Amino acid sequence: ATNQACEALRRAHECKERVIRGMAAQRRAAKHSDALARYDADGDGRLSREEIASYAKGEFGFELTPASLDGICRQLSAGGAEAPGLVALEGMQRLKVAVGV
């Protein structure tokens, strides 16, 4: 009986941790979606080079140098060669890290 109770407690703890991680992931996704909507001036669902610069200024309080902006756009481009410098929702965490560095 003691082993069963311990096993049930362990499973309950694992389920709770899974739920907490899922909720945290949903909060992060909502924050990224909100930031994308806030800085996506043209409403295309992606951040252009100018919008990325606005994001850096608005969220972190500093202006990116042209070289930094070039590097970020090159690394995170969602559009490929036909649309360089565009960052979609999936790239928002990487953008945050790139700008924050």
Side-chain angles (χ1 to χ4, degrees):
T2 303
N3 286 341
Q4 288 176 337
C6 287
E7 181 62 25
L9 187 59
R10 184 188 62 75
R11 282 195 306 262
H13 182 69
E14 287 174 357
C15 287
K16 178 182 173 184
E17 290 298 317
R18 251 193 319 274
V19 168
I20 289 171
R21 283 193 306 270
M23 290 171 62
Q26 287 176 342
R27 280 193 302 271
R28 279 191 306 274
K31 281 177 137 180
H32 293 321
S33 182
D34 290 346
L36 179 64
R38 194 167 40 252
Y39 295 101
D40 183 19
D42 58 7
D44 66 352
R46 301 179 295 183
L47 296 183
S48 67
R49 178 183 174 87
E50 294 78 20
E51 294 164 341
I52 290 170
S54 295
Y55 168 79
K57 180 74 170 170
E59 295 295 310
F60 299 100
F62 65 88
E63 293 189 28
L64 293 171
T65 65
S68 294
L69 193 53
D70 288 342
I72 289 170
C73 290
R74 211 174 19 258
Q75 287 177 345
L76 303 180
S77 179
E82 66 278 359
L86 297 176
V87 177
L89 179 60
E90 302 81 36
M92 289 299 291
Q93 177 62 32
R94 290 179 56 208
L95 175 61
K96 181 180 175 183
V97 170
V99 170
V101 172

